[in-house]
Coordinates of all heavy atoms in Angstrom, one line a residue:
M1 N 38.9 104.5 23.8 CA 40.2 104.4 23.3 C 40.2 104.1 21.8 O 39.4 103.3 21.3 CB 41.0 103.3 24.0 CG 42.5 103.4 23.8 SD 43.3 102.0 24.7 CE 43.1 100.7 23.6
D2 N 41.0 104.8 21.0 CA 41.0 104.5 19.6 C 41.8 103.2 19.2 O 42.9 103.0 19.7 CB 41.8 105.7 18.9 CG 40.8 106.8 18.6 OD1 39.6 106.6 18.8 OD2 41.2 107.9 18.2
S3 N 41.2 102.4 18.5 CA 41.9 101.2 18.0 C 42.5 101.5 16.6 O 42.2 102.5 16.0 CB 40.9 100.0 17.9 OG 40.1 100.2 16.8
V4 N 43.3 100.5 16.2 CA 43.9 100.7 14.9 C 42.8 100.7 13.8 O 42.9 101.4 12.8 CB 45.0 99.6 14.6 CG1 45.6 99.7 13.3 CG2 46.0 99.6 15.7
E5 N 41.8 99.9 14.0 CA 40.7 99.9 13.0 C 40.0 101.2 12.9 O 39.7 101.6 11.8 CB 39.7 98.9 13.5 CG 40.0 97.5 12.9 CD 39.1 96.4 13.6 OE1 37.9 96.4 13.5 OE2 39.7 95.5 14.3
N6 N 39.7 101.9 14.0 CA 39.1 103.2 13.9 C 40.0 104.2 13.1 O 39.5 105.0 12.3 CB 38.9 103.8 15.3 CG 37.7 103.1 16.0 OD1 36.9 102.6 15.3 ND2 37.7 103.2 17.3
L7 N 41.2 104.1 13.4 CA 42.2 105.0 12.7 C 42.2 104.7 11.2 O 42.2 105.6 10.4 CB 43.6 104.7 13.3 CG 44.8 105.5 12.7 CD1 44.7 106.9 13.2 CD2 46.0 104.9 13.2
D8 N 42.0 103.5 10.8 CA 42.0 103.1 9.4 C 40.8 103.7 8.8 O 40.8 104.1 7.6 CB 42.1 101.6 9.3 CG 43.4 101.0 9.5 OD1 44.4 101.9 9.6 OD2 43.6 99.9 9.6
N9 N 39.6 103.7 9.5 CA 38.4 104.3 8.9 C 38.6 105.8 8.7 O 38.1 106.3 7.7 CB 37.2 104.1 9.8 CG 36.8 102.6 9.8 OD1 37.0 101.9 8.8 ND2 36.1 102.1 10.8
D10 N 39.3 106.5 9.6 CA 39.5 107.9 9.5 C 40.4 108.3 8.3 O 40.3 109.4 7.8 CB 40.0 108.5 10.8 CG 39.0 108.5 11.9 OD1 37.8 108.4 11.6 OD2 39.4 108.6 13.0
F11 N 41.2 107.4 7.9 CA 42.2 107.7 6.9 C 42.0 106.7 5.7 O 43.0 106.1 5.2 CB 43.6 107.6 7.4 CG 44.0 108.7 8.4 CD1 43.8 108.5 9.7 CD2 44.4 109.9 8.0 CE1 44.1 109.5 10.7 CE2 44.7 110.9 8.8 CZ 44.5 110.7 10.2
E12 N 40.8 106.6 5.3 CA 40.5 105.6 4.3 C 41.2 105.9 3.0 O 41.6 104.9 2.2 CB 39.0 105.5 4.1 CG 38.5 104.1 3.8 CD 37.0 104.0 3.8 OE1 36.4 104.5 4.8 OE2 36.4 103.5 2.9
D13 N 41.3 107.2 2.7 CA 41.9 107.5 1.4 C 43.4 107.1 1.4 O 43.9 106.6 0.3 CB 41.8 109.0 1.1 CG 42.3 109.9 2.3 OD1 42.4 109.3 3.4 OD2 42.7 111.0 2.1
I14 N 44.1 107.2 2.5 CA 45.5 106.8 2.6 C 45.6 105.2 2.5 O 46.4 104.7 1.8 CB 46.2 107.2 3.9 CG1 46.2 108.8 3.9 CG2 47.6 106.7 4.0 CD1 46.7 109.4 5.2
L15 N 44.6 104.6 3.1 CA 44.6 103.1 3.0 C 44.4 102.6 1.6 O 45.0 101.7 1.1 CB 43.5 102.5 3.9 CG 43.8 102.2 5.3 CD1 42.6 101.5 5.9 CD2 45.0 101.2 5.3
E16 N 43.5 103.4 0.9 CA 43.2 103.0 -0.5 C 44.4 103.2 -1.3 O 44.7 102.3 -2.1 CB 42.0 104.0 -1.0 CG 41.5 103.7 -2.3 CD 40.9 102.3 -2.4 OE1 40.1 102.0 -1.5 OE2 41.1 101.7 -3.4
L17 N 45.2 104.2 -1.1 CA 46.4 104.4 -1.8 C 47.4 103.3 -1.5 O 48.1 102.8 -2.4 CB 47.0 105.8 -1.4 CG 46.4 107.0 -2.1 CD1 46.9 108.3 -1.4 CD2 46.7 107.1 -3.6
S18 N 47.5 103.0 -0.2 CA 48.5 102.0 0.2 C 48.3 100.6 -0.4 O 49.2 99.8 -0.5 CB 48.6 101.9 1.7 OG 47.4 101.3 2.2
R19 N 47.0 100.4 -0.8 CA 46.8 99.1 -1.5 C 47.5 99.0 -2.9 O 47.7 98.0 -3.4 CB 45.3 98.9 -1.7 CG 44.6 98.6 -0.4 CD 43.2 98.1 -0.6 NE 42.4 98.1 0.6 CZ 41.5 99.0 0.9 NH1 41.2 99.9 0.1 NH2 40.9 99.0 2.1
R20 N 47.8 100.2 -3.4 CA 48.5 100.2 -4.7 C 50.0 100.3 -4.6 O 50.7 100.3 -5.6 CB 48.0 101.5 -5.5 CG 46.6 101.3 -6.0 CD 46.1 102.5 -6.7 NE 44.9 103.1 -6.1 CZ 44.6 104.4 -6.2 NH1 45.3 105.2 -6.9 NH2 43.5 104.8 -5.6
C21 N 50.5 100.2 -3.4 CA 51.9 100.2 -3.2 C 52.5 98.9 -3.7 O 51.8 97.8 -3.7 CB 52.3 100.3 -1.7 SG 52.0 102.0 -1.0
K22 N 53.7 98.8 -4.1 CA 54.4 97.6 -4.6 C 54.4 96.5 -3.5 O 54.2 95.4 -3.8 CB 55.7 97.9 -5.1 CG 56.3 96.8 -5.9 CD 57.7 97.0 -6.3 CE 58.2 95.8 -7.1 NZ 59.5 95.9 -7.7
F23 N 54.7 97.0 -2.3 CA 54.9 96.0 -1.2 C 53.7 96.1 -0.2 O 53.3 97.2 0.1 CB 56.1 96.3 -0.4 CG 57.4 96.2 -1.2 CD1 58.0 97.4 -1.6 CD2 57.8 95.0 -1.7 CE1 59.1 97.3 -2.4 CE2 59.0 94.9 -2.5 CZ 59.6 96.1 -2.9
S24 N 53.1 95.0 0.1 CA 51.9 95.0 1.0 C 52.2 95.5 2.4 O 51.3 96.0 3.1 CB 51.3 93.6 1.0 OG 52.2 92.7 1.5
D25 N 53.5 95.4 2.8 CA 53.9 95.8 4.2 C 54.6 97.2 4.1 O 55.4 97.6 4.9 CB 54.7 94.8 4.9 CG 56.0 94.5 4.2 OD1 56.1 94.9 3.0 OD2 56.9 93.9 4.8
C26 N 54.3 98.0 3.1 CA 55.0 99.2 2.8 C 54.8 100.2 3.9 O 53.6 100.3 4.5 CB 54.4 99.8 1.5 SG 55.2 101.3 1.0
T27 N 55.8 100.9 4.4 CA 55.7 101.9 5.4 C 55.5 103.3 4.8 O 55.4 104.3 5.6 CB 56.9 101.8 6.4 OG1 58.1 102.1 5.6 CG2 57.0 100.5 7.1
H28 N 55.6 103.4 3.5 CA 55.5 104.6 2.8 C 56.6 105.6 3.2 O 56.3 106.8 3.3 CB 54.1 105.3 3.0 CG 53.0 104.2 3.1 ND1 52.8 103.3 2.0 CD2 52.1 103.9 4.0 CE1 51.8 102.6 2.4 NE2 51.3 102.9 3.6
T29 N 57.7 105.2 3.4 CA 58.8 106.1 3.8 C 60.0 105.9 2.8 O 60.4 106.9 2.2 CB 59.3 105.8 5.3 OG1 59.5 104.4 5.4 CG2 58.3 106.3 6.3
T30 N 60.5 104.7 2.7 CA 61.8 104.6 1.9 C 61.5 103.6 0.7 O 62.4 103.4 -0.1 CB 62.9 104.1 2.7 OG1 62.6 102.9 3.4 CG2 63.3 105.1 3.7
E31 N 60.4 102.9 0.7 CA 60.1 101.9 -0.3 C 60.0 102.5 -1.7 O 59.5 103.5 -1.9 CB 58.8 101.1 0.0 CG 58.9 100.2 1.2 CD 58.7 100.9 2.5 OE1 58.6 102.1 2.5 OE2 58.5 100.2 3.5
P32 N 60.5 101.7 -2.7 CA 60.4 102.2 -4.1 C 58.9 101.9 -4.6 O 58.3 101.0 -4.0 CB 61.4 101.3 -4.9 CG 61.6 100.1 -4.1 CD 61.3 100.5 -2.6
E33 N 58.5 102.6 -5.6 CA 57.1 102.4 -6.1 C 56.0 102.4 -5.1 O 55.1 101.6 -5.1 CB 57.1 101.1 -6.9 CG 57.9 101.1 -8.2 CD 58.0 99.8 -9.0 OE1 56.9 99.3 -9.3 OE2 59.1 99.3 -9.2
C34 N 56.1 103.4 -4.2 CA 55.1 103.6 -3.2 C 54.0 104.5 -3.7 O 54.3 105.6 -4.1 CB 55.8 104.1 -1.9 SG 54.6 104.7 -0.7
A35 N 52.8 104.1 -3.7 CA 51.7 104.8 -4.2 C 51.3 106.0 -3.3 O 50.9 107.1 -3.8 CB 50.4 103.9 -4.3
V36 N 51.6 105.9 -2.0 CA 51.3 107.0 -1.1 C 52.3 108.1 -1.3 O 51.9 109.3 -1.4 CB 51.4 106.5 0.4 CG1 51.2 107.6 1.3 CG2 50.2 105.5 0.6
K37 N 53.6 107.8 -1.4 CA 54.6 108.8 -1.7 C 54.4 109.5 -3.0 O 54.5 110.7 -3.1 CB 56.0 108.2 -1.7 CG 56.6 108.1 -0.3 CD 58.1 107.9 -0.4 CE 58.5 106.6 -1.1 NZ 60.0 106.4 -1.1
K38 N 53.9 108.7 -4.0 CA 53.6 109.2 -5.3 C 52.5 110.3 -5.2 O 52.5 111.3 -5.8 CB 53.3 108.1 -6.2 CG 53.2 108.5 -7.7 CD 53.1 107.2 -8.6 CE 52.8 107.6 -10.0 NZ 51.4 107.6 -10.4
A39 N 51.5 109.9 -4.4 CA 50.3 110.8 -4.3 C 50.7 112.1 -3.6 O 50.2 113.1 -4.0 CB 49.2 110.1 -3.5
I40 N 51.6 112.0 -2.6 CA 52.0 113.2 -1.9 C 52.8 114.1 -2.9 O 52.6 115.3 -3.0 CB 52.9 112.8 -0.7 CG1 52.1 112.1 0.4 CG2 53.6 114.1 -0.1 CD1 52.9 111.5 1.5
Y41 N 53.7 113.4 -3.7 CA 54.5 114.1 -4.7 C 53.7 114.8 -5.7 O 53.9 115.9 -6.1 CB 55.4 113.1 -5.3 CG 56.4 113.7 -6.4 CD1 57.5 114.5 -6.0 CD2 56.1 113.5 -7.7 CE1 58.3 115.0 -7.0 CE2 56.9 114.1 -8.7 CZ 58.0 114.8 -8.3 OH 58.8 115.4 -9.3
E42 N 52.6 114.2 -6.1 CA 51.7 114.7 -7.1 C 50.7 115.7 -6.6 O 49.8 116.3 -7.3 CB 50.9 113.6 -7.8 CG 51.9 112.8 -8.8 CD 51.2 111.6 -9.4 OE1 50.1 111.2 -9.0 OE2 51.9 111.0 -10.3
G43 N 50.6 115.8 -5.3 CA 49.8 116.8 -4.6 C 48.3 116.2 -4.4 O 47.4 117.0 -4.1
I44 N 48.2 114.9 -4.6 CA 46.8 114.3 -4.4 C 46.6 114.1 -2.9 O 45.5 114.3 -2.4 CB 46.8 112.9 -5.2 CG1 46.9 113.1 -6.6 CG2 45.5 112.2 -4.8 CD1 47.3 111.9 -7.4
L45 N 47.6 113.8 -2.2 CA 47.5 113.6 -0.8 C 48.4 114.7 0.0 O 49.5 114.9 -0.4 CB 48.0 112.2 -0.4 CG 48.0 111.8 1.0 CD1 46.7 111.7 1.6 CD2 48.8 110.5 1.2
S46 N 47.8 115.3 1.0 CA 48.5 116.2 1.8 C 49.6 115.5 2.7 O 49.3 114.6 3.3 CB 47.5 117.0 2.7 OG 48.2 117.4 3.9
E47 N 50.8 116.1 2.6 CA 51.9 115.5 3.4 C 51.6 115.6 4.9 O 51.9 114.7 5.6 CB 53.2 116.2 3.0 CG 54.4 115.4 3.5 CD 55.7 115.9 3.0 OE1 55.7 116.9 2.3 OE2 56.7 115.3 3.4
V48 N 50.9 116.7 5.3 CA 50.6 116.9 6.7 C 49.7 115.8 7.2 O 49.8 115.2 8.2 CB 50.0 118.3 6.9 CG1 49.5 118.5 8.3 CG2 51.0 119.4 6.5
R49 N 48.7 115.5 6.3 CA 47.7 114.5 6.6 C 48.3 113.1 6.7 O 48.1 112.4 7.6 CB 46.6 114.5 5.5 CG 45.4 113.7 5.8 CD 44.3 113.9 4.8 NE 43.6 112.7 4.6 CZ 42.6 112.3 5.5 NH1 42.4 113.1 6.5 NH2 42.0 111.2 5.3
F50 N 49.3 112.8 5.8 CA 50.0 111.6 5.9 C 50.8 111.5 7.1 O 50.8 110.4 7.8 CB 50.9 111.3 4.7 CG 51.7 110.1 4.8 CD1 51.1 108.9 4.8 CD2 53.1 110.2 5.0 CE1 51.9 107.7 5.0 CE2 53.8 109.1 5.2 CZ 53.3 107.9 5.2
N51 N 51.5 112.6 7.5 CA 52.3 112.6 8.7 C 51.4 112.3 10.0 O 51.9 111.6 10.9 CB 53.1 113.9 8.8 CG 54.2 114.0 7.9 OD1 54.8 112.9 7.4 ND2 54.7 115.2 7.6
N52 N 50.3 112.9 10.0 CA 49.3 112.7 11.1 C 48.9 111.2 11.2 O 49.0 110.6 12.3 CB 48.0 113.5 10.9 CG 48.2 114.9 11.3 OD1 49.2 115.3 12.0 ND2 47.3 115.8 10.8
Y53 N 48.6 110.6 10.0 CA 48.3 109.2 9.9 C 49.4 108.4 10.4 O 49.2 107.5 11.2 CB 47.9 108.9 8.5 CG 47.8 107.4 8.2 CD1 46.6 106.7 8.6 CD2 48.8 106.7 7.6 CE1 46.5 105.4 8.4 CE2 48.7 105.4 7.4 CZ 47.6 104.7 7.8 OH 47.5 103.3 7.5
Y54 N 50.6 108.7 9.9 CA 51.8 107.9 10.2 C 52.1 107.9 11.7 O 52.3 106.9 12.4 CB 53.0 108.4 9.5 CG 54.2 107.5 9.5 CD1 54.3 106.4 8.8 CD2 55.3 107.9 10.3 CE1 55.3 105.6 8.8 CE2 56.4 107.1 10.4 CZ 56.4 105.9 9.6 OH 57.5 105.1 9.7
R55 N 51.9 109.1 12.3 CA 52.2 109.3 13.8 C 51.2 108.5 14.6 O 51.5 107.8 15.5 CB 52.2 110.8 14.1 CG 52.6 111.1 15.5 CD 52.7 112.6 15.7 NE 51.5 113.3 15.2 CZ 50.4 113.4 15.9 NH1 50.2 112.9 17.1 NH2 49.4 114.1 15.4
L56 N 49.9 108.6 14.2 CA 48.8 108.0 15.0 C 48.9 106.5 14.8 O 48.7 105.7 15.8 CB 47.5 108.4 14.4 CG 47.0 109.9 14.9 CD1 45.8 110.3 14.1 CD2 46.8 109.9 16.4
K57 N 49.3 106.0 13.7 CA 49.5 104.6 13.4 C 50.6 104.0 14.3 O 50.4 103.0 14.9 CB 49.7 104.3 12.0 CG 49.4 102.8 11.6 CD 49.4 102.6 10.1 CE 49.2 101.2 9.8 NZ 47.9 100.7 10.1
K58 N 51.7 104.8 14.4 CA 52.8 104.3 15.2 C 52.4 104.2 16.7 O 52.7 103.3 17.4 CB 54.0 105.3 15.1 CG 54.8 105.1 13.8 CD 55.8 104.0 13.9 CE 56.0 103.4 12.5 NZ 56.2 102.0 12.5
E59 N 51.6 105.3 17.1 CA 51.2 105.3 18.5 C 50.2 104.1 18.8 O 50.4 103.5 19.8 CB 50.4 106.6 18.7 CG 51.3 107.7 19.2 CD 50.5 109.1 19.3 OE1 49.3 109.0 19.5 OE2 51.2 110.1 19.1
A60 N 49.3 103.8 17.8 CA 48.4 102.7 18.0 C 49.1 101.4 18.1 O 48.8 100.5 18.9 CB 47.4 102.7 16.9
E61 N 50.1 101.3 17.2 CA 50.9 100.0 17.2 C 51.7 99.9 18.5 O 51.7 98.8 19.1 CB 51.9 100.1 16.1 CG 51.2 99.6 14.7 CD 52.1 99.9 13.5 OE1 53.3 100.3 13.7 OE2 51.6 99.8 12.4
Y62 N 52.2 101.0 19.0 CA 52.9 101.0 20.3 C 52.0 100.5 21.4 O 52.4 99.7 22.2 CB 53.5 102.3 20.6 CG 54.3 102.4 21.8 CD1 55.5 101.8 22.0 CD2 53.8 103.2 22.9 CE1 56.2 101.9 23.2 CE2 54.4 103.3 24.1 CZ 55.7 102.6 24.3 OH 56.3 102.7 25.5
V63 N 50.8 101.1 21.5 CA 49.9 100.8 22.5 C 49.4 99.4 22.5 O 49.5 98.7 23.5 CB 48.6 101.7 22.4 CG1 47.5 101.2 23.3 CG2 49.0 103.2 22.8
S64 N 49.1 98.8 21.3 CA 48.7 97.5 21.2 C 49.8 96.5 21.5 O 49.6 95.5 22.1 CB 48.1 97.2 19.8 OG 49.1 97.4 18.8
E65 N 51.0 96.9 21.2 CA 52.2 96.1 21.5 C 52.3 96.0 23.1 O 52.6 95.0 23.6 CB 53.4 96.7 20.9 CG 54.5 95.7 20.7 CD 55.7 96.4 19.9 OE1 55.6 96.5 18.7 OE2 56.6 96.9 20.6
K66 N 52.1 97.2 23.7 CA 52.3 97.3 25.1 C 51.2 96.4 25.8 O 51.4 95.7 26.8 CB 52.1 98.7 25.6 CG 53.4 99.2 26.3 CD 53.4 100.6 26.8 CE 52.1 101.3 27.1 NZ 52.4 102.7 27.5
E67 N 50.0 96.5 25.2 CA 48.8 95.7 25.8 C 49.2 94.2 25.7 O 48.9 93.5 26.6 CB 47.6 96.0 25.0 CG 46.8 97.2 25.6 CD 45.6 97.6 24.8 OE1 45.2 96.8 23.9 OE2 45.0 98.6 25.1
N68 N 49.7 93.8 24.6 CA 50.0 92.4 24.4 C 51.1 91.9 25.4 O 51.0 90.8 26.0 CB 50.5 92.2 23.0 CG 49.4 92.1 22.0 OD1 48.2 92.0 22.4 ND2 49.7 92.3 20.7
K69 N 52.0 92.8 25.6 CA 53.1 92.5 26.6 C 52.5 92.3 28.0 O 52.8 91.4 28.7 CB 54.1 93.6 26.6 CG 55.3 93.3 25.7 CD 56.3 94.4 25.7 CE 57.2 94.3 24.5 NZ 57.8 95.6 24.2
T70 N 51.6 93.3 28.4 CA 50.9 93.2 29.7 C 50.2 91.9 29.8 O 50.2 91.2 30.8 CB 50.0 94.4 29.9 OG1 50.6 95.6 29.5 CG2 49.5 94.5 31.3
K71 N 49.5 91.5 28.8 CA 48.7 90.3 28.8 C 49.7 89.1 28.9 O 49.4 88.1 29.6 CB 47.9 90.2 27.5 CG 46.6 90.7 27.6 CD 45.8 90.7 26.3 CE 44.7 91.7 26.3 NZ 44.3 92.1 24.9
A72 N 50.8 89.1 28.2 CA 51.8 88.1 28.3 C 52.3 87.9 29.7 O 52.5 86.8 30.2 CB 52.9 88.3 27.3
I73 N 52.6 89.1 30.4 CA 53.1 89.0 31.7 C 52.0 88.5 32.7 O 52.3 87.6 33.5 CB 53.5 90.4 32.2 CG1 54.8 90.8 31.4 CG2 53.8 90.5 33.7 CD1 55.1 92.3 31.5
D74 N 50.8 88.9 32.5 CA 49.6 88.4 33.3 C 49.6 86.9 33.2 O 49.4 86.2 34.2 CB 48.3 89.0 32.8 CG 48.1 90.4 33.4 OD1 48.9 90.7 34.4 OD2 47.2 91.1 33.0
Y75 N 49.7 86.4 32.0 CA 49.6 85.0 31.7 C 50.7 84.3 32.4 O 50.5 83.2 33.0 CB 49.7 84.8 30.2 CG 49.7 83.4 29.8 CD1 48.5 82.6 29.8 CD2 50.9 82.7 29.3 CE1 48.5 81.3 29.4 CE2 50.9 81.4 29.0 CZ 49.7 80.7 29.0 OH 49.7 79.4 28.6
M76 N 51.9 84.8 32.3 CA 53.0 84.2 33.0 C 52.8 84.1 34.5 O 53.2 83.2 35.2 CB 54.3 84.9 32.6 CG 54.7 84.6 31.2 SD 56.4 85.2 30.8 CE 56.4 86.9 31.1
K77 N 52.3 85.2 35.1 CA 52.1 85.3 36.5 C 51.1 84.2 36.9 O 51.2 83.6 37.9 CB 51.5 86.7 36.9 CG 52.7 87.7 37.1 CD 52.0 89.0 37.5 CE 53.1 90.1 37.5 NZ 52.4 91.4 37.6
Q78 N 50.0 84.1 36.1 CA 49.0 83.1 36.4 C 49.5 81.8 36.4 O 49.3 80.9 37.3 CB 47.9 83.2 35.3 CG 46.7 84.2 35.8 CD 45.7 84.2 34.7 OE1 45.7 83.6 33.7 NE2 44.7 85.1 34.9
K79 N 50.4 81.5 35.5 CA 51.0 80.1 35.3 C 51.8 79.8 36.6 O 51.7 78.7 37.1 CB 51.9 80.1 34.1 CG 51.2 79.4 32.9 CD 52.2 78.8 32.0 CE 51.8 77.5 31.4 NZ 52.7 77.0 30.4
K80 N 52.6 80.8 37.0 CA 53.4 80.7 38.2 C 52.5 80.3 39.4 O 52.8 79.5 40.2 CB 54.1 81.9 38.5 CG 55.6 81.8 38.2 CD 56.4 83.0 38.7 CE 57.9 82.7 38.7 NZ 58.6 83.9 39.0
L81 N 51.4 81.1 39.5 CA 50.4 80.9 40.7 C 49.9 79.5 40.6 O 49.9 78.8 41.7 CB 49.3 81.9 40.6 CG 49.5 83.3 41.1 CD1 48.4 84.2 40.9 CD2 49.8 83.2 42.6
F82 N 49.5 79.0 39.5 CA 49.0 77.7 39.4 C 50.0 76.6 39.8 O 49.7 75.6 40.4 CB 48.5 77.4 37.9 CG 47.2 78.0 37.7 CD1 47.0 78.8 36.6 CD2 46.1 77.7 38.5 CE1 45.7 79.4 36.3 CE2 44.8 78.3 38.3 CZ 44.7 79.1 37.2
Q83 N 51.3 76.9 39.4 CA 52.3 76.0 39.7 C 52.5 75.8 41.2 O 52.9 74.8 41.7 CB 53.6 76.4 39.1 CG 53.7 75.9 37.6 CD 54.8 76.5 36.8 OE1 55.6 77.3 37.4 NE2 54.9 76.1 35.6
K84 N 52.3 77.0 41.9 CA 52.5 77.0 43.4 C 51.5 76.1 44.1 O 51.7 75.5 45.1 CB 52.5 78.4 43.9 CG 53.8 79.1 43.9 CD 53.7 80.5 44.5 CE 54.9 81.3 44.3 NZ 54.7 82.7 44.6
V85 N 50.3 76.2 43.5 CA 49.1 75.5 44.1 C 49.3 74.0 44.1 O 50.1 73.4 43.5 CB 47.8 75.9 43.5 CG1 46.6 75.0 44.0 CG2 47.5 77.3 43.7
Ligands
ZN1 ZN1 53.7 102.8 0.3

């Protein structure tokens, strides 16, 4: 299974660019002074490549969020079990 970290390694150039964005939590979509958007505009970065990165990142975030939720539910179930005992 691909983790967010693996994904970041595959798209190192985009990560490198994103470090130059004005905001550290930049999503590279609507933010002003975004280095990634600027690179796409200038033709340094392929828009297709960025879209792939963006889509994969969203997927990875969704999966890790789901995993955390499952863990949270497991934890709650365990607590309930312990209370019964
Ligand atoms: Zn950005």
Side-chain angles (χ1 to χ4, degrees):
M1 198 180 82
D2 276 349
S3 74
V4 181
E5 269 168 64
N6 285 337
L7 183 69
D8 284 351
N9 284 335
D10 289 342
F11 292 94
E12 217 170 307
D13 53 338
I14 297 175
L15 268 186
E16 187 60 44
L17 283 166
S18 67
R19 285 193 195 106
R20 285 179 241 156
C21 289
K22 191 182 179 177
F23 304 104
S24 57
D25 60 345
C26 185
T27 60
H28 323 304
T29 49
T30 56
E31 288 86 349
E33 289 175 59
C34 169
V36 173
K37 272 200 298 182
K38 191 170 171 267
I40 294 169
Y41 180 75
E42 287 173 354
I44 297 163
L45 176 69
S46 151
E47 195 172 359
V48 175
R49 194 170 147 75
F50 172 68
N51 285 338
N52 280 342
Y53 168 78
Y54 190 75
R55 184 173 51 83
L56 284 170
K57 198 167 175 69
K58 283 277 154 219
E59 271 172 27
E61 277 168 9
Y62 177 71
V63 168
S64 59
E65 206 175 275
K66 243 183 16 184
E67 271 176 10
N68 284 340
K69 266 181 201 157
T70 312
K71 271 177 199 156
I73 290 164
D74 279 347
Y75 176 76
M76 287 192 300
K77 275 182 190 164
Q78 267 178 6
K79 258 204 145 175
K80 250 190 172 175
L81 277 175
F82 280 127
Q83 278 170 357
K84 270 182 191 169
V85 174

